[in-house]
Amino acid sequence: MHRARVEKTKRDVFRHHIGPPHQFSGDLICWKCTAAFVAVRAHTNKGAPVQAQYRLAPKTEHDSDCPLNPTVVTNHIAHGSHGLAEADDRGILRLNLPENISAVPTTGPDDDVTGQDAVRHTVATVRPLLPPAVNSAAKIAQFLQMHDFDKDIVDRFKIRPHNGRAIPWGRFCYGPTTESYAELYERCRRAEVFTHPIAVFGTVRRVSHDRSGRPYIVLALNVPAGDGSFHVTIRSWHASLIEPLITGVHVLAVGAGWEIFPRGNVPQLRLWADEHWQLAHWTTTGDGQSTAPHCPPPLTAVQRARARAEARTRRAAGGPAGPPAPSASPTPTEAITPPPASETAVDPAPELPQPPPARTAPAADASSADTPMTDPHDQVSLAQPAAIIAPRPKQPPADGTPQPVPPLPAFPPPAPGEGGRRWALGQWLKRVRRR
Ligand SMILES: [Zn+2]
């Protein structure tokens, strides 16, 4: 854990206070109860670095009312889960995902006597609830967050997808470590078919806007993967789903439609959210307490109708399709025709509306997930050699008038040579650039 308290002075100490030498003296206790703590210096375990941390002293347990007590918290989560989560004698909590993860019972959660877990919409009288499965997952994520995703604590949680075997928490929920994000990225890259919803936990690093002014959030920037890196983003056709997710808010995004968007300077691992319940979110207060998980207000009938109309308009104009109606089939591939290379090159997080994958087709969009993650320019070159190699003026014209564009070189490039088509194309491009 990143935090502890000096018993005598009640001063809170953090990871960076751990030495050598320690920047505190005296006995340590849990920062939420009276349990004895010890400081563990940074070390390596089987070659893997382990950062400095505070841990329970041997043979010690948190107080029964401590929010960091795993047994108490797992029982509490199980109790509020509408029967979806079960805690066993060893303190392992298994969350069973129902076939329809978004189903909301007509009654509140079992422990909702105070309305603490209710998700309140500030202006409407409706009180949308997070579906129990998502609510329970969010509570688990909150608890793990308090424990800095300590492996021993994470190991206490399992997920059993509908009609599937129980899997470790880390195979259902990715983040917040870069290693974990990279694991999901690799799964998407392999075009793995997800047979159950996948969650991603993270904290909003940045809110950006696409070219249409539509907001989207970035949960992680420049996560290393292989020879390159990627961003983790959450997008939606509906601004109202994204607007509550301001910088610093913690988000658990749930969906089967995780995909890699390979264009732009840095590829994106992203999810298109269609429904409010996919975006559980909360904040933490100064003393480390989390607020109850919320979700954005549900879409209105007007929003859905407008979105369908916009999608029809886009299709009629030959542009990318919009969000499909709930029963819509996967959008045809022509909807994701690449934009002109010049646009791709200048916009690191381009607005290239792609349809969110229909929930009935949970596989990652193979057309993007399949894309080899080679150098983006190389990729663009192969796709549209004429556009990328068109000679450009070295200096902008002094008077701002557009320069005449020289005639394009012969197309197509040569047939495959001894090194294959890719090699031949590279040679051809070199020749063209020398002109
Ligand atoms: Zn405690």
Side-chain angles (χ1 to χ4, degrees):
M1 206 169 299
H2 72 291
R3 184 171 179 174
R5 185 164 288 174
V6 177
E7 185 175 24
K8 201 168 180 181
T9 62
K10 301 288 183 275
R11 172 190 164 217
D12 280 356
V13 287
F14 296 87
R15 176 172 288 135
H16 66 268
H17 292 121
I18 297 176
H22 294 329
Q23 296 171 38
F24 54 83
S25 59
D27 293 337
L28 297 172
I29 54 172
C30 171
W31 56 287
K32 285 290 179 188
C33 75
T34 61
F37 263 34
V38 293
V40 181
R41 291 173 178 168
H43 61 283
T44 55
N45 183 8
K46 296 175 185 167
V50 179
Q51 55 183 344
Q53 57 187 280
Y54 302 95
R55 286 181 162 273
L56 272 175
K59 297 179 183 166
T60 307
E61 294 291 339
H62 290 275
D63 295 352
S64 60
D65 58 349
C66 177
L68 294 166
N69 185 316
T71 307
V72 172
V73 171
T74 50
N75 284 335
H76 176 78
I77 293 172
H79 186 60
S81 71
H82 284 271
L84 294 179
E86 315 159 310
D88 70 12
D89 297 342
R90 297 169 300 154
I92 306 288
L93 186 87
R94 192 178 68 185
L95 175 60
N96 301 298
L97 299 183
E99 186 172 12
N100 176 10
I101 194 175
S102 65
V104 177
T106 48
T107 58
D110 307 349
D111 60 351
D112 189 24
V113 285
T114 62
Q116 188 192 12
D117 293 327
V119 178
R120 294 174 187 280
H121 182 11
T122 48
V123 292
T125 52
V126 294
R127 200 186 65 169
L129 297 173
L130 274 170
V134 179
N135 193 50
S136 298
K139 285 181 173 178
I140 293 171
Q142 289 186 330
F143 184 64
L144 297 177
Q145 190 183 11
M146 291 187 82
H147 282 275
D148 298 334
F149 288 82
D150 182 300
K151 186 180 176 305
D152 290 346
I153 304 294
V154 174
D155 286 349
R156 285 171 167 262
F157 295 92
K158 309 260 183 244
I159 297 288
R160 193 170 74 80
H162 181 68
N163 285 340
R165 284 191 191 162
I167 54 174
W169 171 262
R171 286 285 287 180
F172 161 71
C173 181
Y174 292 84
T177 65
T178 53
E179 294 82 3
S180 177
Y181 288 138
E183 211 176 296
L184 179 58
Y185 183 80
E186 288 302 325
R187 291 184 71 180
C188 290
R189 201 167 140 176
R190 292 193 297 266
E192 206 172 299
V193 174
F194 299 132
T195 54
H196 56 83
I198 295 285
V200 160
F201 168 74
T203 302
V204 180
R205 303 288 167 207
R206 191 168 79 188
V207 179
S208 295
H209 292 81
D210 64 24
R211 291 190 202 132
S212 306
R214 203 180 282 120
Y216 66 95
I217 57 168
V218 183
L219 294 181
L221 284 157
N222 300 312
V223 179
D227 296 336
S229 62
F230 64 95
H231 300 329
V232 182
T233 63
I234 311 286
R235 310 200 59 165
S236 176
W237 291 99
H238 307 286
S240 64
L241 297 187
I242 300 293
E243 278 159 358
L245 310 177
I246 58 176
T247 304
V249 164
H250 311 298
V251 179
L252 185 81
V254 183
W258 290 94
E259 62 179 8
I260 293 174
F261 178 73
R263 293 188 289 272
N265 291 341
V266 178
Q268 295 177 33
L269 172 64
R270 70 180 187 183
L271 175 73
W272 279 89
D274 302 318
E275 301 290 345
H276 66 291
W277 57 263
Q278 291 184 271
L279 299 171
H281 62 91
W282 61 91
T283 54
T284 41
T285 55
D287 66 350
Q289 292 283 31
S290 297
T291 58
H294 288 58
C295 60
L299 298 178
T300 62
V302 172
Q303 277 180 298
R304 292 182 192 280
R306 193 187 304 140
R308 282 195 293 271
E310 286 173 4
R312 278 196 297 273
T313 307
R314 276 193 293 270
R315 274 196 294 269
S327 60
S329 55
T331 311
T333 47
E334 55 265 28
I336 53 171
T337 301
S342 56
E343 282 183 36
T344 308
V346 297
D347 189 349
E351 156 52 3
L352 298 164
Q354 275 188 267
R359 281 189 304 285
T360 50
D365 182 347
S367 59
S368 54
D370 251 339
T371 309
M373 303 312 292
T374 51
D375 175 61
H377 296 292
D378 185 23
Q379 230 173 322
V380 172
S381 302
L382 289 170
Q384 300 185 326
I388 198 74
I389 52 80
R392 292 174 189 169
K394 286 183 180 156
Q395 300 281 332
D399 58 359
T401 53
Q403 292 285 295
V405 179
L408 293 175
F411 189 82
E418 55 182 332
R421 176 173 164 75
R422 196 181 183 86
W423 175 86
L425 192 53
Q427 297 300 308
W428 174 77
L429 282 171
K430 272 186 200 161
R431 282 200 302 277
V432 168
R433 285 183 178 125
R434 278 198 294 269
R435 286 186 186 183

